[in-house]
C-alpha cells in the first residue's frame, strides 16, 4: 500500500481500493471509525493492529497543532494549524447555548483584498484541499465533546467559492459522512457569482450568507473590491436564483464601520434589497485589524442601524462578538500574526 494523500482527502471508493487485499467489511469499519466515531486510525479497535499501523502510516494527518487558545470559560476555542507544506490556517470553535459551531478556513490567505479584513490584508497563498477542510471539522468535533458539533460555517480564512471544488467536496463529506444537516452548513461568500450559481445547481440546499457590507455600488466598490466585477444587481440575481432553487433563506453579513456604512441611507438601500430577496441581516460591529484603523460602530449606533432596518420590515439580528480576546473574531484571522500568540497551558473543558 502506497499513497500520497492526507487522511480525510480520499473518498470511500479510493480507500476501498486501497483495502482490496482485505475482507470487504474492512472499509466499513475504517470509514465508520474515521467519520462516525471520529477515531484516530490507531484507535479503531475493529481493525487488526497491523492494518491500523499500515493505514496510519500511509494516511498522514494534514494539520499539526501549532497553537491552541481558549477564551474565558472555554466558550471559544481557536487553533492555528500547521499544514504539511509549512503554511498555516486557523479554525474557531464556538459554543452557544444549544449549539456548537465550527468556523473553518478554505484557503491559506485570501485574494479578495477586502481592506478591513485581516486575512484580506495578508494576500493569497494557496487553496486548501477537501481533506484539509474536512479535518478541521473532525478535529473540532472531537474537541467539542461532550457537546455535539451542530453547525459548520465557511467563515474562516479565505473565499470558499474561489476554491469551489475542494470546498464543495468538503460540504458533501460533512453532510454525508459527518452527518450534519444541510441547513446547518453555511457557505459565506463575498459574492463570487459563478460559485453561487454552481451552488444553485447542486442537490444539497445548504445555507448561504453573503458578506454585503454596503448596499450601494459606490460604497461597496470601496469596501469589497470584487464588487467591481460582480456589482450588486448581478449579485442579487444570483442570490435570487439560489433562494428559489434551494428554498433556503438568504442572510447578509454586515460589519458596521463607524461613519462608513452605518448611515440611514445605507439602511434604506439594504432594507429594499432584503425585501426583494426576503433576506435576513446579521449585524456585527467591525473588529479592529492592523491594516484598517477605522473603528466599529458603537453599540448605540448598532441599535440605531438595526432599528432603521426593523422599521422597514427587515429582519436584523446583532451578532455577539466572539473571541476578540484571543484574536479569533470575524476578520481577525491572520496566520502570520497568530503564530506569535501564547498557547494556553491546559485547555479547560467547556460547560456542557
Ligand atoms: N470570504 C468569505 C468568508 C470569510 S470572512 C466572506 O467574505 O464571506 C467571514 C466574515 O467576516 C465575512 O462576513 C467578512 O466580511 C467578515 N469580516 C471580515 N473582516 C471583518 C472585521 N474586521 N470585522 C468584522 N467582520 C469582518
Amino acid at each position: 500500500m502506497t499513497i500520497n494523500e492526507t487522511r480525510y482527502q480520499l473518498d470511500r471508493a479510493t480507500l476501498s481500493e486501497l483495502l482490496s487485499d482485505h475482507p470487504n467489511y474492512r472499509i466499513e469499519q475504517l470509514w465508520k471509525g474515521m467519520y462516525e466515531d471520529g477515531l484516530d486510525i490507531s484507535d479503531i479497535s475493529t481493525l487488526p493492529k497491523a492494518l491500523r499501523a499500515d493505514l496510519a502510516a500511509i494516511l498522514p494527518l494534514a494539520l499539526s497543532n501549532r497553537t491552541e487558545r481558549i477564551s474565558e470559560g472555554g466558550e471559544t476555542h481557536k487553533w492555528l494549524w500547521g499544514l504539511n507544506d509549512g503554511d498555516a490556517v486557523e479554525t474557531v470553535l464556538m459554543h452557544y447555548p444549544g449549539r456548537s459551531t465550527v468556523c473553518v478556513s478554505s484557503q491559506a490567505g485570501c485574494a479578495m483584498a477586502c481592506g478591513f479584513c485581516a486575512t484580506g490584508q495578508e494576500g493569497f497563498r494557496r487553496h486548501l484541499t477537501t481533506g484539509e477542510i474536512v479535518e478541521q471539522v473532525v478535529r473540532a468535533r472531537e474537541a467539542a465533546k461532550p457537546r455535539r458539533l451542530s453547525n459548520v460555517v465557511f467563515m474562516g480564512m479565505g473565499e470558499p467559492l474561489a476554491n469551489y471544488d475542494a470546498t464543495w467536496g468538503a460540504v458533501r463529506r460533512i453532510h454525508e459522512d459527518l452527518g450534519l444537516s444541510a441547513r446547518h452548513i453555511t457557505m459565506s461568500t463575498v459574492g463570487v457569482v459563478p460559485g453561487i450559481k454552481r451552488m444553485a445547481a447542486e442537490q444539497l440546499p445548504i445555507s448561504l450568507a453573503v458578506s454585503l457590507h454596503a448596499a450601494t455600488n459606490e460604497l461597496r466598490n470601496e469596501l469589497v473590491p470584487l464588487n467591481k466585477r460582480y456589482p450588486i444587481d448581478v449579485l442579487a440575481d444570483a442570490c435570487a436564483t439560489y433562494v428559489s432553487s434551494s428554498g433556503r433563506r438568504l442572510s447578509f453579513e454586515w460589519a458596521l464601520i463607524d461613519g462608513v456604512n452605518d448611515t440611514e441611507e445605507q439602511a434604506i438601500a439594504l432594507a429594499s434589497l432584503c425585501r426583494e430577496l426576503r433576506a435576513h441581516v446579521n449585524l456585527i460591529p467591525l473588529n479592529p485589524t492592523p491594516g484598517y484603523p477605522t473603528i466599529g460602530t458603537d453599540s448605540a449606533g448598532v441599535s440605531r442601524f438595526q432599528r432603521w432596518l426593523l422599521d422597514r420590515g427587515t429582519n436584523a439580528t446583532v451578532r455577539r462578538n466572539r473571541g476578540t480576546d484571543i484574536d479569533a473574531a470575524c476578520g481577525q484571522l491572520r496566520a502570520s500574526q497568530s503564530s506569535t500568540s501564547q498557547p494556553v497551558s491546559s485547555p479547560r473543558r467547556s460547560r456542557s
Side-chain angles (χ1 to χ4, degrees):
M1 289 197 273
T2 52
I3 196 109
N4 190 23
E5 282 294 358
T6 55
R7 188 163 303 177
Y8 297 94
Q9 178 67 19
L10 300 179
D11 61 18
R12 189 176 164 132
T14 314
L15 275 185
S16 183
E17 273 169 40
L18 206 67
L19 290 170
S20 56
D21 293 344
H22 296 265
N24 286 341
Y25 52 81
R26 291 292 179 221
I27 178 61
E28 176 57 28
Q29 292 169 331
L30 174 62
W31 199 256
K32 178 176 182 298
M34 282 173 65
Y35 287 93
E36 214 171 294
D37 305 334
L39 295 170
D40 189 82
I41 290 179
S42 54
D43 296 327
I44 303 178
S45 56
T46 46
L47 297 175
K49 273 219 162 98
L51 180 59
R52 284 185 239 168
D54 284 351
L55 288 168
I58 60 166
L59 297 170
L61 289 171
L63 310 175
S64 62
N65 194 345
R66 273 203 203 161
T67 317
E68 188 173 355
R69 300 183 76 190
I70 300 179
S71 72
E72 278 316 311
E75 281 195 327
T76 305
H77 192 149
K78 180 176 86 162
W79 292 265
L80 175 70
W81 302 112
L83 306 176
N84 292 341
D85 63 356
D87 216 312
V89 292
E90 295 186 324
T91 303
V92 183
L93 171 66
M94 291 158 287
H95 298 295
Y96 301 87
R99 81 191 143 99
S100 293
T101 298
V102 66
C103 176
V104 296
S105 293
S106 56
Q107 298 177 317
C110 184
M112 297 297 124
C114 303
F116 54 86
C117 172
T119 314
Q121 291 157 19
E122 200 176 31
F124 175 73
R125 294 189 305 281
R126 74 163 169 88
H127 293 307
L128 297 193
T129 63
T130 293
E132 286 167 335
I133 299 169
V134 171
E135 193 175 321
Q136 294 174 63
V137 181
V138 171
R139 308 275 292 258
R141 187 178 67 164
E142 280 313 290
K145 284 181 178 169
R147 299 193 194 208
R148 192 179 68 83
L149 182 74
S150 52
N151 297 64
V152 175
V153 296
F154 285 83
M155 293 187 186
M157 302 169 77
E159 169 48 51
L161 296 185
N163 181 20
Y164 192 91
D165 292 336
T167 297
W168 198 260
V171 165
R172 292 189 49 182
R173 198 70 63 73
I174 291 162
H175 174 66
E176 286 162 25
D177 302 306
L178 296 176
L180 269 80
S181 74
R183 70 172 66 238
H184 290 153
I185 303 172
T186 301
M187 188 65 71
S188 180
T189 178
V190 73
V192 178
V193 163
I196 296 172
K197 289 184 176 159
R198 281 182 76 180
M199 273 178 66
E202 304 280 2
Q203 297 306 309
L204 199 59
I206 66 169
S207 299
L208 176 64
V210 171
S211 300
L212 197 66
H213 307 309
T216 56
N217 283 320
E218 192 187 5
L219 181 58
R220 196 164 193 266
N221 285 344
E222 259 175 54
L223 295 177
V224 176
L226 192 72
N227 194 68
K228 292 176 203 147
R229 183 128 150 233
Y230 305 115
I232 292 171
D233 55 336
V234 174
L235 176 58
D237 275 355
C239 289
T241 305
Y242 190 73
V243 169
S244 70
S245 77
S246 68
R248 287 272 178 265
R249 194 185 57 171
L250 174 73
S251 56
F252 285 132
E253 307 291 300
W254 194 281
L256 280 160
I257 312 173
D258 188 47
V260 175
N261 64 355
D262 56 1
T263 60
E264 190 168 12
E265 182 212 349
Q266 286 294 321
I268 291 169
L270 173 57
S272 101
L273 200 58
C274 288
R275 253 194 314 275
E276 183 188 321
L277 294 165
R278 308 209 306 143
H280 165 110
V281 180
N282 283 317
L283 298 170
I284 184 169
L286 182 84
N287 291 306
T289 54
Y292 192 85
T294 317
I295 57 169
T297 303
D298 64 18
S299 64
V302 172
S303 301
R304 192 167 58 229
F305 195 85
Q306 182 185 27
R307 175 54 50 203
W308 285 328
L309 295 174
L310 296 174
D311 286 348
R312 287 169 178 83
T314 291
N315 196 345
T317 48
V318 179
R319 266 205 297 186
R320 219 187 98 205
N321 221 334
R322 296 291 294 262
T324 36
D325 54 334
I326 55 169
D327 288 340
C330 291
Q332 291 190 323
L333 303 185
R334 182 170 174 140
S336 56
Q337 276 176 8
S338 5
S339 54
T340 59
S341 63
Q342 291 303 307
V344 279
S345 46
S346 61
R348 264 173 290 173
R349 252 292 168 221
S350 51
R351 288 178 288 113
S352 56

